[in-house]
Amino acid sequence: MEMNFYVLFREWLVTDTQGLLLACLGSFLLAVLYELLKNGRQMWSKGFFANKQCLRPNDMVPSGGDCCNNDEDDFYYVRGGSFWCMHFVQSFLYIIQVFFAFVLMLIVMSYNVYVTIAICVGDGVGYFLAGCIRRRMVLRSVVESDHVYMNDGTGKITQLSGEVYSGSSNTKL
């Protein structure tokens, strides 16, 4: 099987099966890293890594948006003068996230089916891992704060105190 295609730049010329496997592996790992960075940045901006977290009922659900979506939903925990430091770090991480997104897009533009499938699977694996991390952090926060939520399967999350939240927003019903 003859294959000659470039991935990103001339030095990354794929000519044989070994090169294709390495290109797929590298693209897969970059896609996983992209999803972990995207979700980690969103979780950090929502206070998941702070000592005290304001838990919202739908924090267990990972973001479904792309690199430029759902940022208006993010909110920052402002503690004194730390806003500018956090905003600077968030901006830097956002630049890295968009860079990864563009690199993945350029790799897909090599029009190789195997590399494209590797990127899609990598995004899926990264999304799965980020969801597991988010779930573990939410459950740890729930245990530490004695808040217990129940999902009744219809998209409504009920707190033990009897407050019912809509599954699509954080508003009480």
Side-chain angles (χ1 to χ4, degrees):
M1 174 169 84
E2 183 180 328
M3 64 181 94
N4 287 321
F5 67 94
Y6 296 107
V7 180
L8 289 181
F9 39 83
R10 284 191 185 154
E11 288 78 17
W12 195 354
L13 176 64
V14 176
T15 58
D16 57 358
T17 306
Q18 180 184 2
L20 178 62
L21 289 175
L22 289 174
C24 288
L25 179 65
S27 301
F28 172 84
L29 293 175
L30 188 62
V32 169
L33 183 64
Y34 165 74
E35 279 294 326
L36 290 175
L37 175 67
K38 179 179 78 168
N39 283 288
R41 190 182 66 81
Q42 290 172 347
M43 288 169 34
W44 184 48
S45 70
K46 291 181 180 182
F48 272 78
F49 302 109
N51 289 336
K52 293 187 178 182
Q53 175 188 348
C54 176
L55 180 66
R56 297 182 313 177
N58 291 322
D59 279 343
M60 192 173 297
V61 179
S63 168
D66 58 7
C67 71
C68 305
N69 196 357
N70 291 341
D71 283 339
E72 66 274 2
D73 188 44
D74 291 348
F75 56 92
Y76 295 104
Y77 289 84
V78 181
R79 292 185 182 99
S82 67
F83 170 79
W84 291 110
C85 180
M86 182 175 174
H87 188 61
F88 177 77
V89 172
Q90 279 285 339
S91 298
F92 182 72
L93 290 174
Y94 185 74
I95 290 169
I96 294 172
Q97 176 186 335
V98 170
F99 176 76
F100 281 167
F102 287 156
V103 167
L104 288 169
M105 179 191 64
L106 288 173
I107 292 173
V108 168
M109 295 298 289
S110 69
Y111 299 112
N112 184 282
V113 174
Y114 300 112
V115 175
T116 302
I117 290 172
I119 289 173
C120 292
V121 171
D123 270 340
V125 169
Y127 184 82
F128 178 79
L129 292 175
C132 292
I133 293 168
R134 181 183 298 259
R135 180 178 185 275
R136 183 172 33 175
M137 294 182 80
V138 167
L139 291 177
R140 182 176 30 171
S141 176
V142 166
V143 168
E144 290 173 359
S145 64
D146 294 330
H147 293 295
V148 179
Y149 296 100
M150 178 184 72
N151 188 343
D152 64 0
T154 63
K156 294 180 181 172
I157 298 176
T158 307
Q159 188 175 0
L160 259 186
S161 66
E163 299 170 337
V164 178
Y165 294 86
S166 167
S168 60
S169 66
N170 294 326
T171 58
K172 291 182 185 177
L173 297 177

